[in-house]
Amino acid sequence: MTLDLLTPLAGFGFGLSLIVAIGAQNAFVLRQGLLRKHVLAVVAVCALSDALLILLGIGGAGIVFTALPWLTTVVRIAGAAFLLTYAVLAARRAIKPKAMDAADPQASPTLLPTVLTVLALTWLNPHVYLDTVVLLGSVANTHGEARWLFGAGAAVASIVWFTALGYGARLLQPIFARPSAWRVLDAIIALVMASIAASLLIGL
């Protein structure tokens, strides 16, 4: 019983260690949370994507990326191109204060573009395959028959983190009542996206 309890807790802790970091996906979730636009959809896409990736990792999909290194290269290039595009858009928002208005279409796109963006940020990021599919999958499989409990703990960690990030962002709303705060946030997002894209290309 104690082992059964510790395994999902270990998965929860390991899962948090992988996702609690400044990255493209987290930056986007934070921004949507501050805008209070499509937060549930964004959180759901992130959490469900992580759960699926964890499932694939434990099921052995990580072997595919190990056996086909060119696949990782393709994902790196596609991910870098998307991140650079998003970085340019974020930089434009930072330069133009008008775009900081939450009612502005550029600042708060409709549901479909928002979902497509978060899907791209998630699935075009090669780090998600290396961390979640390969690394987490490998660690989970060291737990033998309890590997699925480990994976369940990691999936719960994703749900907790993205929910807290998306809905907890509104606590910062007083700060972001000022257009200058939005400009700073988008400038940071642009730098984060551009730096991640650069790291992906350098790693080729």
Side-chain angles (χ1 to χ4, degrees), residues 1 3 8 17 33 42 46 53 59 79 82 84 92 94 97 105 114 123 130 132 138 151 174 202-203:
M1 180 64 69
L3 180 61
S17 71
V42 169
C46 291
L53 288 164
F82 179 82
L84 284 174
R92 286 181 59 188
T114 299
W123 293 90
L130 297 175
T132 308
S138 299
I202 292 172

Side-chain angles (χ1 to χ4, degrees), residues 7 54 58-59 137 139-152:
T7 301
I54 291 168
I58 297 176
V139 173
N141 279 300
T142 63
H143 290 266
E145 294 183 357
R147 62 188 182 278
W148 297 109
L149 287 175
F150 185 93

Side-chain angles (χ1 to χ4, degrees), residues 1-10 149:
M1 180 64 69
T2 302
L3 180 61
D4 289 345
L5 178 62
L6 291 178
T7 301
L9 285 176
L149 287 175

Side-chain angles (χ1 to χ4, degrees), residues 75-77 79-80 83 124-127 195-204:
V75 175
R76 279 180 178 272
I77 294 173
L83 288 172
L124 288 180
N125 179 9
H127 292 301
S195 62
I196 294 174
S199 69
L200 292 179
L201 294 175
I202 292 172
L204 290 175

Side-chain angles (χ1 to χ4, degrees), residues 7 13 17 20 28 31-32 38 56 65 68 71 89 103 119 124-125 133 145 156 173-174 183 192 202:
T7 301
S17 71
V20 179
F28 185 78
R31 192 172 197 282
Q32 290 302 126
H38 317 303
L56 291 174
F65 287 90
L68 303 173
L71 186 59
L89 295 176
L119 281 171
L124 288 180
N125 179 9
V133 176
E145 294 183 357
V156 171
Q173 202 65 47
R183 297 183 70 179
V192 169
I202 292 172

Side-chain angles (χ1 to χ4, degrees), residues 81-98:
F82 179 82
L83 288 172
L84 284 174
T85 300
Y86 195 89
V88 170
L89 295 176
R92 286 181 59 188
R93 289 196 303 264
I95 294 171
K96 297 180 179 180
K98 180 182 178 181

